[in-house]
Amino acid sequence: MYENYVLNKQYFIQVIKDLAAMVEEQRDYLTKLDAEIGDSDHGINLTIGFREVMKKLPEWENEDLTSLFKKVGMALLGKVGGAAGPLYGGLFMKFGEPAANKDEVNFLEFAEMFKKGVELVESRGKAIVGDKTMVDTLRPALDKLFEAIDNEVKPLEAFEQFVKAAEVGRDSTIPIVARKGRALRLGERAIGHLDPGATSSHLILSVFLDNLKK
Ligand code: ADP
Ligand code: MG
């Protein structure tokens, strides 16, 4: 079942374009969230990064998935400032690795791509679930995806569970204090606020889902 569910390069190119459009749309919202517990730049950082990606994308359309995402990640790494730059840059650089220099992947390889990316965020940022970061979105979502695969849930439904778990993870950042990132210094004052990175991570995964449904 999973082997026959194939995602091709066209899918991933469209996802990249839609990620760029999404960050433009959500820029002010993400920046507002960052104003509450950070330094008001998260949305701005992401648009700067994805504008660079969109500028270069036409040059990359002949690359295989491994090299395409390495380039996307490097562009983000080079342009996005702050904590999110190295984290999202690293995530996308690793994301293409399980594609093994191919132009398409099956659903199991697709799941492995998210695993690689999320593990990079965890190893680079050293945050764990409950620290009020993007890891609160990404880790439970990833666990849910692999749980769904173990239970032989159909691909699209498994992916829906993945994104739903991301949403729950995002919201889990509201009632807690931060143990990583800028919000750390706010102590109890961070309570009651969504973490901007946890929010952008959910939005990013949603773009992948929206395109699966197209
Ligand atoms: P900065 O905090 O440097 O201004 P951004 O505003 O772009 O960078 O991104 C802030 C987001 O980065 C936070 O909301 C949080 O989700 C994420 N973040 C910060 N530090 C870490 C970390 N060590 N591990 C994972 N995510 C982190
Ligand atoms: Mg910030």
Side-chain angles (χ1 to χ4, degrees):
M1 158 173 72
Y2 296 129
E3 280 81 2
N4 297 331
Y5 195 93
V6 173
L7 290 315
N8 61 19
K9 201 161 84 182
Q10 211 182 336
Y11 166 79
F12 288 102
I13 299 264
Q14 192 58 47
V15 164
I16 294 168
K17 291 178 178 168
D18 288 355
L19 285 171
M22 179 277 287
V23 298
E24 296 293 338
E25 243 166 64
Q26 302 290 337
R27 184 180 79 148
D28 292 348
Y29 173 58
L30 293 170
T31 295
K32 176 188 136 273
L33 294 178
D34 199 30
E36 288 165 7
I37 60 166
D39 59 351
S40 324
D41 64 357
H42 188 58
I44 295 165
N45 286 341
L46 291 178
T47 53
I48 293 171
F50 276 95
R51 281 175 197 171
E52 176 71 6
V53 167
M54 285 309 285
K55 210 170 87 190
K56 298 263 184 72
L57 190 60
E59 296 167 29
W60 301 338
E61 294 201 1
N62 293 322
E63 307 284 349
D64 60 63
L65 293 176
T66 304
S67 138
L68 171 66
F69 279 106
K70 197 160 177 195
K71 287 174 190 277
V72 168
M74 281 168 66
L76 294 177
L77 197 65
K79 286 282 174 179
V80 183
L87 295 172
Y88 281 141
L91 187 156
F92 282 105
M93 282 181 72
K94 285 281 168 189
F95 187 69
E97 278 186 10
N101 306 311
K102 292 184 298 183
D103 279 346
E104 56 179 42
V105 290
N106 68 39
F107 193 75
L108 292 176
E109 293 163 332
F110 188 46
E112 284 298 324
M113 292 166 82
F114 288 98
K115 180 160 185 273
K116 274 276 183 206
V118 173
E119 284 175 352
L120 183 282
V121 170
E122 290 174 326
S123 65
R124 186 162 287 173
K126 309 267 183 303
I128 57 169
V129 171
D131 286 351
K132 201 177 180 100
T133 73
M134 58 178 75
V135 171
D136 291 3
T137 296
L138 296 171
R139 170 47 62 185
L142 189 73
D143 289 346
K144 178 56 84 179
L145 178 62
F146 279 86
E147 185 192 308
I149 290 171
D150 282 345
N151 292 327
E152 295 179 23
V153 174
K154 288 200 189 85
L156 181 58
E157 202 183 320
F159 206 83
E160 279 169 341
Q161 291 183 12
F162 173 54
V163 176
K164 182 67 200 169
E167 186 188 328
V168 173
R170 174 199 71 187
D171 291 343
S172 75
T173 65
I174 296 173
I176 59 178
V177 299
R179 291 194 298 244
K180 281 277 186 301
R182 273 177 212 283
L184 177 64
R185 66 183 82 146
L186 289 179
E188 306 257 305
R189 278 180 294 144
I191 292 176
H193 299 280
L194 265 177
D195 177 63
T199 306
S200 58
S201 286
H202 167 256
L203 290 167
I204 287 170
L205 302 186
S206 300
V207 169
F208 282 90
L209 175 60
D210 293 345
N211 276 282
L212 285 186
K213 289 180 176 167
K214 274 183 195 163

